[in-house]
Amino acid sequence: PTPHPSQTPHTSHTSRSAGHDAGAPSRGRRIGMVLAGAVGALVVVAGAVFFLESGGEANAKPEPKPSPTKAAVKLPDGVKCSGGDCAGEDPELMGCGGQYAETSADAMIGTTYVEVRYSDVCKAAWARIGGASPGTKVTVSSAGESESDEVTEGTGGYTMMVAAKDAKAAKACVETATGTGGCTTTTEP
């Protein structure tokens, strides 16, 4: 005769209630795992707080450093640039003209006088012309950089500056409205 299903022993139920199932954690083991998980979570949270606090300072944008020309060169009062900082700037407005400038090269192109003005303090050069007619174009160049100006009224004018390492590094060229042109030659001291 086959036993009735209610009479068949259920081994897993019996072993669990007896605490003999090796796969099921004991109550003490479960409490230990919960505590270990809680401690691990606290460590992660504390680490995140520490990382964010110290990382925020480390990732902050550093103070901008002054450009090398400004830091390395003490400029006289009224002079506002040096070297590359002067490129494209007006020599008079930046304080590079007047007592800080000299003629380093010049030429007569037809009736137009052209000169390279150089400022050792500013480490920059520009071209200046006189006796020109409207439509005359003047260009100063140094180390592959150039600035130009065109006479629209009057007989003179000047270009913006280019950086120039020394007085011989720049030259000025003129092209008149009639097509006559030429460039400066370095003047000897």
Side-chain angles (χ1 to χ4, degrees):
T2 43
H4 189 285
S6 63
Q7 294 175 346
T8 306
H10 193 269
T11 55
S12 64
H13 177 71
T14 310
S15 63
R16 278 191 194 158
S17 61
H20 299 310
D21 187 3
S26 68
R27 183 172 185 213
R29 190 185 272 172
R30 279 185 288 199
I31 291 173
M33 289 190 320
V34 168
L35 286 175
V39 168
L42 286 173
V43 167
V44 169
V45 169
V49 168
F50 177 75
F51 176 76
L52 290 175
E53 285 181 6
S54 67
E57 294 171 13
N59 293 331
K61 290 185 179 180
E63 291 288 323
K65 295 180 181 177
S67 67
T69 55
K70 289 180 182 174
V73 177
K74 173 69 175 142
L75 300 175
D77 289 339
V79 176
K80 300 175 185 170
C81 67
S82 181
D85 293 339
C86 291
E89 299 290 341
D90 186 305
E92 297 302 320
L93 295 177
M94 299 306 282
C96 297
Q99 67 178 344
Y100 299 117
E102 64 183 14
T103 299
S104 62
D106 63 348
M108 284 299 294
I109 312 298
T111 60
T112 302
Y113 175 72
V114 61
E115 63 183 327
V116 173
R117 298 290 288 163
Y118 178 76
S119 172
D120 190 50
V121 169
C122 293
K123 298 290 185 208
W126 61 98
R128 183 168 68 179
I129 58 175
S133 57
T136 299
K137 183 178 176 183
V138 61
T139 302
V140 65
S141 59
S142 176
E145 301 295 320
S146 65
E147 289 288 335
S148 298
D149 191 35
E150 185 174 317
V151 176
T152 56
E153 53 184 61
T155 61
Y158 61 93
T159 65
M160 297 296 114
M161 295 183 284
V162 293
K165 64 181 179 176
D166 58 42
K168 295 180 181 183
K171 74 175 183 176
C173 296
V174 170
E175 186 178 326
T176 67
T178 60
T180 306
C183 297
T184 58
T185 56
T186 304
T187 56
E188 296 301 320

